[in-house]
Amino acid sequence: FFLTGCSKVKNGTLESVEADAEKGFHYPYFLFIPDDISTESEIPLVVEPNNSGFLNDDLNAHIEKAERTATIDYYMGNYVARKMNLPLLVPVFPRFESDSHLYTHSLDRDIVLKQDEQLKRIDLQLLKMVEDARKRLGELGYRSDDQFLMTGFSASGTFANRFSLIHPEKVKAVAAGGLNGLLMLPEKEMKGRELIYPVGTYDFEALFGKSFNSGAFQSTPQFLFMGELDENDAVPYSDAFDEPEREIIYQLLGEEMQPQRWEASQMIYDSLGVDATIKTYEGIGHEHPENVKDDVIAFFSRVLN
């Protein structure tokens, strides 16, 4: 049960917004607004895709997790929003136990191919949520940039990396971590292999109805990171990747997540001139402690300044 409304939270306000099919989004979202947002200048929205970390057919379970993501500074998006006094949007996309091959929270191939009205093109639904949130902010006296900052970790980090290739013109900058040692490649082919989505852009136009904007992607500032001790690898699992995708990844980038696949992905981004800072943090695993989040703050601050 989800009602549109506002509630006071620590040092801010949380708006819960119902799904609105007429506006183009079939699921609700949360909008966190810190108390000290400036009304003097145009500001970017921060967007963090929701990542429940579990399968559940009850949307309420995903609503509860997305609300925590929107309000608690353990999560990267909320940490950024509070430290930089920027509004934060967190969508509530489901991840179904009854349809477990749909890894909605990582924007996998199966969800991109989904034609069900409610689940079709959740990337476009997210853009419609952003549009709606900007209107709401405008009504409160805040002027927002038409480009937004994007954050994510683990599945939502993968979502952010993939989204930044699909819609680079909408993303001012992206910070994502816990990425399975794998980055989506802005290439159609490599060593004679067709790089289908989400490995690369071979079938990009067929899937998204537009050409891949390589120039915009290459110039989008990115901060991408892994923990040196991270052992969380989604590539072997069927909910995250189908066998054809897995075969391409293993053949071209490596079966070993770190350092083989992670370093191979970095080398490709470097060779293509992608504006990406790629970092491996010593002594940490599948996590983003405060020093990592502070590096994200520093990165976004450089972009905005």
PDB file of all heavy atoms in Angstrom, residues 93-126:
ATOM      1  N   PHE A  93      11.575  -0.364  -8.557  1.00  0.00           N
ATOM      2  CA  PHE A  93      11.363  -1.424  -9.531  1.00  0.00           C
ATOM      3  C   PHE A  93      11.381  -2.762  -8.802  1.00  0.00           C
ATOM      4  O   PHE A  93      12.215  -2.981  -7.916  1.00  0.00           O
ATOM      5  CB  PHE A  93      12.442  -1.391 -10.614  1.00  0.00           C
ATOM      6  CG  PHE A  93      12.401  -0.165 -11.478  1.00  0.00           C
ATOM      7  CD1 PHE A  93      13.542   0.611 -11.677  1.00  0.00           C
ATOM      8  CD2 PHE A  93      11.229   0.232 -12.097  1.00  0.00           C
ATOM      9  CE1 PHE A  93      13.517   1.743 -12.476  1.00  0.00           C
ATOM     10  CE2 PHE A  93      11.181   1.368 -12.889  1.00  0.00           C
ATOM     11  CZ  PHE A  93      12.329   2.123 -13.087  1.00  0.00           C
ATOM     12  N   PRO A  94      10.495  -3.687  -9.168  1.00  0.00           N
ATOM     13  CA  PRO A  94      10.445  -4.979  -8.477  1.00  0.00           C
ATOM     14  C   PRO A  94      11.503  -5.947  -8.998  1.00  0.00           C
ATOM     15  O   PRO A  94      12.073  -5.760 -10.068  1.00  0.00           O
ATOM     16  CB  PRO A  94       9.048  -5.498  -8.830  1.00  0.00           C
ATOM     17  CG  PRO A  94       8.806  -4.935 -10.215  1.00  0.00           C
ATOM     18  CD  PRO A  94       9.472  -3.575 -10.225  1.00  0.00           C
ATOM     19  N   ARG A  95      11.765  -6.985  -8.223  1.00  0.00           N
ATOM     20  CA  ARG A  95      12.547  -8.130  -8.682  1.00  0.00           C
ATOM     21  C   ARG A  95      11.801  -9.369  -8.206  1.00  0.00           C
ATOM     22  O   ARG A  95      11.753  -9.659  -7.015  1.00  0.00           O
ATOM     23  CB  ARG A  95      13.970  -8.083  -8.126  1.00  0.00           C
ATOM     24  CG  ARG A  95      14.859  -9.174  -8.728  1.00  0.00           C
ATOM     25  CD  ARG A  95      16.259  -9.143  -8.158  1.00  0.00           C
ATOM     26  NE  ARG A  95      17.017 -10.291  -8.642  1.00  0.00           N
ATOM     27  CZ  ARG A  95      18.130 -10.765  -8.063  1.00  0.00           C
ATOM     28  NH1 ARG A  95      18.614 -10.146  -7.000  1.00  0.00           N
ATOM     29  NH2 ARG A  95      18.731 -11.814  -8.553  1.00  0.00           N
ATOM     30  N   PHE A  96      11.182 -10.088  -9.149  1.00  0.00           N
ATOM     31  CA  PHE A  96      10.212 -11.113  -8.828  1.00  0.00           C
ATOM     32  C   PHE A  96      10.833 -12.475  -8.557  1.00  0.00           C
ATOM     33  O   PHE A  96      11.690 -12.935  -9.307  1.00  0.00           O
ATOM     34  CB  PHE A  96       9.203 -11.261  -9.969  1.00  0.00           C
ATOM     35  CG  PHE A  96       8.415 -10.021 -10.265  1.00  0.00           C
ATOM     36  CD1 PHE A  96       8.574  -9.351 -11.466  1.00  0.00           C
ATOM     37  CD2 PHE A  96       7.518  -9.524  -9.338  1.00  0.00           C
ATOM     38  CE1 PHE A  96       7.840  -8.216 -11.744  1.00  0.00           C
ATOM     39  CE2 PHE A  96       6.785  -8.394  -9.599  1.00  0.00           C
ATOM     40  CZ  PHE A  96       6.938  -7.728 -10.806  1.00  0.00           C
ATOM     41  N   GLU A  97      10.351 -13.136  -7.506  1.00  0.00           N
ATOM     42  CA  GLU A  97      10.754 -14.519  -7.259  1.00  0.00           C
ATOM     43  C   GLU A  97      10.144 -15.448  -8.303  1.00  0.00           C
ATOM     44  O   GLU A  97      10.754 -16.433  -8.712  1.00  0.00           O
ATOM     45  CB  GLU A  97      10.325 -14.931  -5.853  1.00  0.00           C
ATOM     46  CG  GLU A  97      10.845 -16.287  -5.440  1.00  0.00           C
ATOM     47  CD  GLU A  97      10.574 -16.598  -3.979  1.00  0.00           C
ATOM     48  OE1 GLU A  97       9.797 -15.860  -3.337  1.00  0.00           O
ATOM     49  OE2 GLU A  97      11.143 -17.585  -3.485  1.00  0.00           O
ATOM     50  N   SER A  98       8.932 -15.137  -8.753  1.00  0.00           N
ATOM     51  CA  SER A  98       8.245 -15.976  -9.729  1.00  0.00           C
ATOM     52  C   SER A  98       8.784 -15.796 -11.143  1.00  0.00           C
ATOM     53  O   SER A  98       8.437 -16.567 -12.043  1.00  0.00           O
ATOM     54  CB  SER A  98       6.745 -15.670  -9.713  1.00  0.00           C
ATOM     55  OG  SER A  98       6.520 -14.301 -10.020  1.00  0.00           O
ATOM     56  N   ASP A  99       9.599 -14.787 -11.355  1.00  0.00           N
ATOM     57  CA  ASP A  99      10.200 -14.529 -12.674  1.00  0.00           C
ATOM     58  C   ASP A  99      11.667 -14.179 -12.435  1.00  0.00           C
ATOM     59  O   ASP A  99      12.141 -13.103 -12.789  1.00  0.00           O
ATOM     60  CB  ASP A  99       9.464 -13.380 -13.359  1.00  0.00           C
ATOM     61  CG  ASP A  99       9.507 -13.484 -14.881  1.00  0.00           C
ATOM     62  OD1 ASP A  99      10.230 -14.374 -15.377  1.00  0.00           O
ATOM     63  OD2 ASP A  99       8.833 -12.697 -15.557  1.00  0.00           O
ATOM     64  N   SER A 100      12.393 -15.119 -11.850  1.00  0.00           N
ATOM     65  CA  SER A 100      13.706 -14.821 -11.290  1.00  0.00           C
ATOM     66  C   SER A 100      14.774 -14.527 -12.337  1.00  0.00           C
ATOM     67  O   SER A 100      15.832 -13.989 -12.000  1.00  0.00           O
ATOM     68  CB  SER A 100      14.171 -15.968 -10.397  1.00  0.00           C
ATOM     69  OG  SER A 100      14.271 -17.175 -11.148  1.00  0.00           O
ATOM     70  N   HIS A 101      14.527 -14.889 -13.602  1.00  0.00           N
ATOM     71  CA  HIS A 101      15.539 -14.597 -14.626  1.00  0.00           C
ATOM     72  C   HIS A 101      15.587 -13.115 -14.963  1.00  0.00           C
ATOM     73  O   HIS A 101      16.528 -12.643 -15.584  1.00  0.00           O
ATOM     74  CB  HIS A 101      15.279 -15.414 -15.896  1.00  0.00           C
ATOM     75  CG  HIS A 101      14.109 -14.937 -16.703  1.00  0.00           C
ATOM     76  ND1 HIS A 101      12.800 -15.077 -16.281  1.00  0.00           N
ATOM     77  CD2 HIS A 101      14.051 -14.292 -17.899  1.00  0.00           C
ATOM     78  CE1 HIS A 101      11.991 -14.554 -17.180  1.00  0.00           C
ATOM     79  NE2 HIS A 101      12.702 -14.071 -18.166  1.00  0.00           N
ATOM     80  N   LEU A 102      14.552 -12.360 -14.553  1.00  0.00           N
ATOM     81  CA  LEU A 102      14.534 -10.916 -14.777  1.00  0.00           C
ATOM     82  C   LEU A 102      15.345 -10.233 -13.672  1.00  0.00           C
ATOM     83  O   LEU A 102      14.860 -10.075 -12.549  1.00  0.00           O
ATOM     84  CB  LEU A 102      13.110 -10.365 -14.762  1.00  0.00           C
ATOM     85  CG  LEU A 102      12.174 -10.753 -15.900  1.00  0.00           C
ATOM     86  CD1 LEU A 102      10.794 -10.186 -15.643  1.00  0.00           C
ATOM     87  CD2 LEU A 102      12.706 -10.266 -17.240  1.00  0.00           C
ATOM     88  N   TYR A 103      16.560  -9.839 -13.982  1.00  0.00           N
ATOM     89  CA  TYR A 103      17.365  -9.129 -12.984  1.00  0.00           C
ATOM     90  C   TYR A 103      17.141  -7.636 -13.201  1.00  0.00           C
ATOM     91  O   TYR A 103      18.012  -6.906 -13.678  1.00  0.00           O
ATOM     92  CB  TYR A 103      18.837  -9.504 -13.122  1.00  0.00           C
ATOM     93  CG  TYR A 103      19.628  -9.337 -11.837  1.00  0.00           C
ATOM     94  CD1 TYR A 103      20.765 -10.087 -11.600  1.00  0.00           C
ATOM     95  CD2 TYR A 103      19.229  -8.428 -10.848  1.00  0.00           C
ATOM     96  CE1 TYR A 103      21.493  -9.942 -10.428  1.00  0.00           C
ATOM     97  CE2 TYR A 103      19.940  -8.280  -9.680  1.00  0.00           C
ATOM     98  CZ  TYR A 103      21.075  -9.039  -9.473  1.00  0.00           C
ATOM     99  OH  TYR A 103      21.780  -8.878  -8.300  1.00  0.00           O
ATOM    100  N   THR A 104      15.950  -7.223 -12.808  1.00  0.00           N
ATOM    101  CA  THR A 104      15.518  -5.835 -13.001  1.00  0.00           C
ATOM    102  C   THR A 104      16.528  -4.838 -12.456  1.00  0.00           C
ATOM    103  O   THR A 104      16.815  -3.820 -13.087  1.00  0.00           O
ATOM    104  CB  THR A 104      14.178  -5.612 -12.277  1.00  0.00           C
ATOM    105  OG1 THR A 104      13.358  -6.764 -12.431  1.00  0.00           O
ATOM    106  CG2 THR A 104      13.460  -4.390 -12.809  1.00  0.00           C
ATOM    107  N   HIS A 105      17.072  -5.133 -11.293  1.00  0.00           N
ATOM    108  CA  HIS A 105      17.905  -4.166 -10.581  1.00  0.00           C
ATOM    109  C   HIS A 105      19.293  -3.981 -11.187  1.00  0.00           C
ATOM    110  O   HIS A 105      20.025  -3.081 -10.774  1.00  0.00           O
ATOM    111  CB  HIS A 105      17.995  -4.547  -9.101  1.00  0.00           C
ATOM    112  CG  HIS A 105      16.661  -4.499  -8.421  1.00  0.00           C
ATOM    113  ND1 HIS A 105      16.412  -5.122  -7.217  1.00  0.00           N
ATOM    114  CD2 HIS A 105      15.496  -3.907  -8.791  1.00  0.00           C
ATOM    115  CE1 HIS A 105      15.148  -4.907  -6.861  1.00  0.00           C
ATOM    116  NE2 HIS A 105      14.570  -4.180  -7.806  1.00  0.00           N
ATOM    117  N   SER A 106      19.646  -4.828 -12.157  1.00  0.00           N
ATOM    118  CA  SER A 106      20.909  -4.631 -12.867  1.00  0.00           C
ATOM    119  C   SER A 106      20.688  -4.220 -14.320  1.00  0.00           C
ATOM    120  O   SER A 106      21.645  -4.061 -15.066  1.00  0.00           O
ATOM    121  CB  SER A 106      21.766  -5.903 -12.813  1.00  0.00           C
ATOM    122  OG  SER A 106      21.208  -6.924 -13.623  1.00  0.00           O
ATOM    123  N   LEU A 107      19.426  -4.042 -14.715  1.00  0.00           N
ATOM    124  CA  LEU A 107      19.067  -3.677 -16.091  1.00  0.00           C
ATOM    125  C   LEU A 107      19.641  -4.708 -17.078  1.00  0.00           C
ATOM    126  O   LEU A 107      20.326  -4.375 -18.031  1.00  0.00           O
ATOM    127  CB  LEU A 107      19.557  -2.257 -16.422  1.00  0.00           C
ATOM    128  CG  LEU A 107      18.953  -1.561 -17.656  1.00  0.00           C
ATOM    129  CD1 LEU A 107      17.444  -1.434 -17.522  1.00  0.00           C
ATOM    130  CD2 LEU A 107      19.560  -0.178 -17.852  1.00  0.00           C
ATOM    131  N   ASP A 108      19.350  -5.975 -16.816  1.00  0.00           N
ATOM    132  CA  ASP A 108      19.923  -7.044 -17.634  1.00  0.00           C
ATOM    133  C   ASP A 108      19.207  -7.181 -18.976  1.00  0.00           C
ATOM    134  O   ASP A 108      18.239  -6.461 -19.259  1.00  0.00           O
ATOM    135  CB  ASP A 108      19.924  -8.367 -16.866  1.00  0.00           C
ATOM    136  CG  ASP A 108      18.540  -9.015 -16.761  1.00  0.00           C
ATOM    137  OD1 ASP A 108      17.518  -8.312 -16.946  1.00  0.00           O
ATOM    138  OD2 ASP A 108      18.469 -10.230 -16.489  1.00  0.00           O
ATOM    139  N   ARG A 109      19.677  -8.090 -19.793  1.00  0.00           N
ATOM    140  CA  ARG A 109      19.120  -8.267 -21.130  1.00  0.00           C
ATOM    141  C   ARG A 109      17.643  -8.683 -21.084  1.00  0.00           C
ATOM    142  O   ARG A 109      16.833  -8.210 -21.866  1.00  0.00           O
ATOM    143  CB  ARG A 109      19.930  -9.305 -21.898  1.00  0.00           C
ATOM    144  CG  ARG A 109      19.464  -9.496 -23.340  1.00  0.00           C
ATOM    145  CD  ARG A 109      20.347 -10.469 -24.109  1.00  0.00           C
ATOM    146  NE  ARG A 109      19.903 -10.591 -25.487  1.00  0.00           N
ATOM    147  CZ  ARG A 109      20.244  -9.745 -26.464  1.00  0.00           C
ATOM    148  NH1 ARG A 109      21.053  -8.732 -26.198  1.00  0.00           N
ATOM    149  NH2 ARG A 109      19.792  -9.913 -27.691  1.00  0.00           N
ATOM    150  N   ASP A 110      17.304  -9.557 -20.141  1.00  0.00           N
ATOM    151  CA  ASP A 110      15.928 -10.057 -20.064  1.00  0.00           C
ATOM    152  C   ASP A 110      14.935  -8.938 -19.778  1.00  0.00           C
ATOM    153  O   ASP A 110      13.840  -8.912 -20.352  1.00  0.00           O
ATOM    154  CB  ASP A 110      15.828 -11.146 -18.994  1.00  0.00           C
ATOM    155  CG  ASP A 110      16.614 -12.394 -19.364  1.00  0.00           C
ATOM    156  OD1 ASP A 110      16.482 -12.849 -20.512  1.00  0.00           O
ATOM    157  OD2 ASP A 110      17.366 -12.893 -18.517  1.00  0.00           O
ATOM    158  N   ILE A 111      15.291  -8.012 -18.891  1.00  0.00           N
ATOM    159  CA  ILE A 111      14.349  -6.933 -18.589  1.00  0.00           C
ATOM    160  C   ILE A 111      14.275  -5.932 -19.744  1.00  0.00           C
ATOM    161  O   ILE A 111      13.217  -5.361 -20.013  1.00  0.00           O
ATOM    162  CB  ILE A 111      14.695  -6.227 -17.253  1.00  0.00           C
ATOM    163  CG1 ILE A 111      13.537  -5.329 -16.788  1.00  0.00           C
ATOM    164  CG2 ILE A 111      15.977  -5.411 -17.349  1.00  0.00           C
ATOM    165  CD1 ILE A 111      12.263  -6.069 -16.502  1.00  0.00           C
ATOM    166  N   VAL A 112      15.366  -5.744 -20.464  1.00  0.00           N
ATOM    167  CA  VAL A 112      15.334  -4.853 -21.626  1.00  0.00           C
ATOM    168  C   VAL A 112      14.441  -5.427 -22.721  1.00  0.00           C
ATOM    169  O   VAL A 112      13.749  -4.685 -23.433  1.00  0.00           O
ATOM    170  CB  VAL A 112      16.764  -4.609 -22.151  1.00  0.00           C
ATOM    171  CG1 VAL A 112      16.743  -3.959 -23.533  1.00  0.00           C
ATOM    172  CG2 VAL A 112      17.541  -3.726 -21.177  1.00  0.00           C
ATOM    173  N   LEU A 113      14.405  -6.760 -22.848  1.00  0.00           N
ATOM    174  CA  LEU A 113      13.582  -7.411 -23.863  1.00  0.00           C
ATOM    175  C   LEU A 113      12.121  -7.549 -23.438  1.00  0.00           C
ATOM    176  O   LEU A 113      11.263  -7.848 -24.272  1.00  0.00           O
ATOM    177  CB  LEU A 113      14.142  -8.804 -24.169  1.00  0.00           C
ATOM    178  CG  LEU A 113      15.478  -8.858 -24.906  1.00  0.00           C
ATOM    179  CD1 LEU A 113      16.025 -10.278 -24.925  1.00  0.00           C
ATOM    180  CD2 LEU A 113      15.329  -8.325 -26.323  1.00  0.00           C
ATOM    181  N   LYS A 114      11.821  -7.332 -22.186  1.00  0.00           N
ATOM    182  CA  LYS A 114      10.480  -7.552 -21.657  1.00  0.00           C
ATOM    183  C   LYS A 114       9.473  -6.602 -22.301  1.00  0.00           C
ATOM    184  O   LYS A 114       9.697  -5.393 -22.363  1.00  0.00           O
ATOM    185  CB  LYS A 114      10.484  -7.351 -20.144  1.00  0.00           C
ATOM    186  CG  LYS A 114       9.227  -7.807 -19.431  1.00  0.00           C
ATOM    187  CD  LYS A 114       9.119  -9.307 -19.383  1.00  0.00           C
ATOM    188  CE  LYS A 114       7.962  -9.767 -18.509  1.00  0.00           C
ATOM    189  NZ  LYS A 114       7.784 -11.235 -18.539  1.00  0.00           N
ATOM    190  N   GLN A 115       8.359  -7.148 -22.767  1.00  0.00           N
ATOM    191  CA  GLN A 115       7.345  -6.344 -23.455  1.00  0.00           C
ATOM    192  C   GLN A 115       6.083  -6.138 -22.618  1.00  0.00           C
ATOM    193  O   GLN A 115       5.165  -5.458 -23.061  1.00  0.00           O
ATOM    194  CB  GLN A 115       6.979  -7.008 -24.790  1.00  0.00           C
ATOM    195  CG  GLN A 115       8.113  -7.016 -25.806  1.00  0.00           C
ATOM    196  CD  GLN A 115       8.550  -5.609 -26.183  1.00  0.00           C
ATOM    197  OE1 GLN A 115       7.742  -4.775 -26.582  1.00  0.00           O
ATOM    198  NE2 GLN A 115       9.848  -5.336 -26.040  1.00  0.00           N
ATOM    199  N   ASP A 116       6.024  -6.737 -21.440  1.00  0.00           N
ATOM    200  CA  ASP A 116       4.916  -6.500 -20.538  1.00  0.00           C
ATOM    201  C   ASP A 116       4.770  -5.005 -20.274  1.00  0.00           C
ATOM    202  O   ASP A 116       5.750  -4.302 -20.050  1.00  0.00           O
ATOM    203  CB  ASP A 116       5.178  -7.245 -19.227  1.00  0.00           C
ATOM    204  CG  ASP A 116       4.166  -6.920 -18.153  1.00  0.00           C
ATOM    205  OD1 ASP A 116       3.116  -7.579 -18.116  1.00  0.00           O
ATOM    206  OD2 ASP A 116       4.430  -5.994 -17.359  1.00  0.00           O
ATOM    207  N   GLU A 117       3.540  -4.504 -20.305  1.00  0.00           N
ATOM    208  CA  GLU A 117       3.328  -3.048 -20.231  1.00  0.00           C
ATOM    209  C   GLU A 117       3.983  -2.423 -19.001  1.00  0.00           C
ATOM    210  O   GLU A 117       4.628  -1.385 -19.092  1.00  0.00           O
ATOM    211  CB  GLU A 117       1.834  -2.734 -20.214  1.00  0.00           C
ATOM    212  CG  GLU A 117       1.546  -1.241 -20.193  1.00  0.00           C
ATOM    213  CD  GLU A 117       0.065  -0.920 -20.130  1.00  0.00           C
ATOM    214  OE1 GLU A 117      -0.749  -1.858 -20.054  1.00  0.00           O
ATOM    215  OE2 GLU A 117      -0.272   0.279 -20.142  1.00  0.00           O
ATOM    216  N   GLN A 118       3.855  -3.069 -17.847  1.00  0.00           N
ATOM    217  CA  GLN A 118       4.390  -2.469 -16.632  1.00  0.00           C
ATOM    218  C   GLN A 118       5.912  -2.498 -16.581  1.00  0.00           C
ATOM    219  O   GLN A 118       6.531  -1.596 -16.031  1.00  0.00           O
ATOM    220  CB  GLN A 118       3.813  -3.173 -15.405  1.00  0.00           C
ATOM    221  CG  GLN A 118       2.375  -2.769 -15.103  1.00  0.00           C
ATOM    222  CD  GLN A 118       1.986  -3.162 -13.705  1.00  0.00           C
ATOM    223  OE1 GLN A 118       2.145  -4.316 -13.302  1.00  0.00           O
ATOM    224  NE2 GLN A 118       1.483  -2.214 -12.942  1.00  0.00           N
ATOM    225  N   LEU A 119       6.520  -3.533 -17.156  1.00  0.00           N
ATOM    226  CA  LEU A 119       7.969  -3.700 -17.057  1.00  0.00           C
ATOM    227  C   LEU A 119       8.710  -3.244 -18.306  1.00  0.00           C
ATOM    228  O   LEU A 119       9.944  -3.242 -18.312  1.00  0.00           O
ATOM    229  CB  LEU A 119       8.304  -5.168 -16.782  1.00  0.00           C
ATOM    230  CG  LEU A 119       8.008  -5.658 -15.372  1.00  0.00           C
ATOM    231  CD1 LEU A 119       8.118  -7.169 -15.307  1.00  0.00           C
ATOM    232  CD2 LEU A 119       8.942  -5.014 -14.366  1.00  0.00           C
ATOM    233  N   LYS A 120       7.997  -2.866 -19.334  1.00  0.00           N
ATOM    234  CA  LYS A 120       8.654  -2.482 -20.590  1.00  0.00           C
ATOM    235  C   LYS A 120       9.504  -1.226 -20.397  1.00  0.00           C
ATOM    236  O   LYS A 120       9.069  -0.240 -19.837  1.00  0.00           O
ATOM    237  CB  LYS A 120       7.592  -2.244 -21.662  1.00  0.00           C
ATOM    238  CG  LYS A 120       8.159  -1.974 -23.044  1.00  0.00           C
ATOM    239  CD  LYS A 120       7.038  -1.849 -24.079  1.00  0.00           C
ATOM    240  CE  LYS A 120       7.616  -1.599 -25.471  1.00  0.00           C
ATOM    241  NZ  LYS A 120       6.545  -1.486 -26.489  1.00  0.00           N
ATOM    242  N   ARG A 121      10.762  -1.322 -20.840  1.00  0.00           N
ATOM    243  CA  ARG A 121      11.705  -0.207 -20.875  1.00  0.00           C
ATOM    244  C   ARG A 121      11.734   0.573 -19.569  1.00  0.00           C
ATOM    245  O   ARG A 121      11.405   1.761 -19.495  1.00  0.00           O
ATOM    246  CB  ARG A 121      11.379   0.719 -22.052  1.00  0.00           C
ATOM    247  CG  ARG A 121      11.617   0.112 -23.434  1.00  0.00           C
ATOM    248  CD  ARG A 121      13.080  -0.251 -23.659  1.00  0.00           C
ATOM    249  NE  ARG A 121      13.980   0.873 -23.511  1.00  0.00           N
ATOM    250  CZ  ARG A 121      14.272   1.728 -24.492  1.00  0.00           C
ATOM    251  NH1 ARG A 121      13.753   1.547 -25.697  1.00  0.00           N
ATOM    252  NH2 ARG A 121      15.126   2.719 -24.288  1.00  0.00           N
ATOM    253  N   ILE A 122      12.202  -0.105 -18.528  1.00  0.00           N
ATOM    254  CA  ILE A 122      12.275   0.584 -17.235  1.00  0.00           C
ATOM    255  C   ILE A 122      13.287   1.724 -17.265  1.00  0.00           C
ATOM    256  O   ILE A 122      13.220   2.627 -16.424  1.00  0.00           O
ATOM    257  CB  ILE A 122      12.572  -0.383 -16.076  1.00  0.00           C
ATOM    258  CG1 ILE A 122      13.923  -1.087 -16.273  1.00  0.00           C
ATOM    259  CG2 ILE A 122      11.445  -1.377 -15.896  1.00  0.00           C
ATOM    260  CD1 ILE A 122      14.372  -1.864 -15.038  1.00  0.00           C
ATOM    261  N   ASP A 123      14.233   1.698 -18.213  1.00  0.00           N
ATOM    262  CA  ASP A 123      15.148   2.829 -18.345  1.00  0.00           C
ATOM    263  C   ASP A 123      14.383   4.097 -18.731  1.00  0.00           C
ATOM    264  O   ASP A 123      14.650   5.182 -18.200  1.00  0.00           O
ATOM    265  CB  ASP A 123      16.242   2.528 -19.372  1.00  0.00           C
ATOM    266  CG  ASP A 123      15.690   2.206 -20.746  1.00  0.00           C
ATOM    267  OD1 ASP A 123      14.811   1.317 -20.871  1.00  0.00           O
ATOM    268  OD2 ASP A 123      16.124   2.839 -21.733  1.00  0.00           O
ATOM    269  N   LEU A 124      13.399   3.950 -19.634  1.00  0.00           N
ATOM    270  CA  LEU A 124      12.575   5.102 -20.015  1.00  0.00           C
ATOM    271  C   LEU A 124      11.630   5.492 -18.884  1.00  0.00           C
ATOM    272  O   LEU A 124      11.351   6.683 -18.686  1.00  0.00           O
ATOM    273  CB  LEU A 124      11.783   4.786 -21.277  1.00  0.00           C
ATOM    274  CG  LEU A 124      12.595   4.528 -22.548  1.00  0.00           C
ATOM    275  CD1 LEU A 124      11.667   4.237 -23.728  1.00  0.00           C
ATOM    276  CD2 LEU A 124      13.500   5.718 -22.873  1.00  0.00           C
ATOM    277  N   GLN A 125      11.151   4.502 -18.144  1.00  0.00           N
ATOM    278  CA  GLN A 125      10.310   4.816 -16.987  1.00  0.00           C
ATOM    279  C   GLN A 125      11.085   5.643 -15.966  1.00  0.00           C
ATOM    280  O   GLN A 125      10.547   6.587 -15.371  1.00  0.00           O
ATOM    281  CB  GLN A 125       9.791   3.526 -16.340  1.00  0.00           C
ATOM    282  CG  GLN A 125       8.814   2.756 -17.210  1.00  0.00           C
ATOM    283  CD  GLN A 125       8.099   1.671 -16.423  1.00  0.00           C
ATOM    284  OE1 GLN A 125       7.616   1.899 -15.301  1.00  0.00           O
ATOM    285  NE2 GLN A 125       8.006   0.481 -17.000  1.00  0.00           N
ATOM    286  N   LEU A 126      12.353   5.302 -15.766  1.00  0.00           N
ATOM    287  CA  LEU A 126      13.179   6.066 -14.833  1.00  0.00           C
ATOM    288  C   LEU A 126      13.344   7.504 -15.307  1.00  0.00           C
ATOM    289  O   LEU A 126      13.289   8.449 -14.503  1.00  0.00           O
ATOM    290  CB  LEU A 126      14.540   5.397 -14.663  1.00  0.00           C
ATOM    291  CG  LEU A 126      15.523   6.068 -13.696  1.00  0.00           C
ATOM    292  CD1 LEU A 126      14.916   6.257 -12.313  1.00  0.00           C
ATOM    293  CD2 LEU A 126      16.812   5.255 -13.592  1.00  0.00           C
TER     294      LEU A 126
END
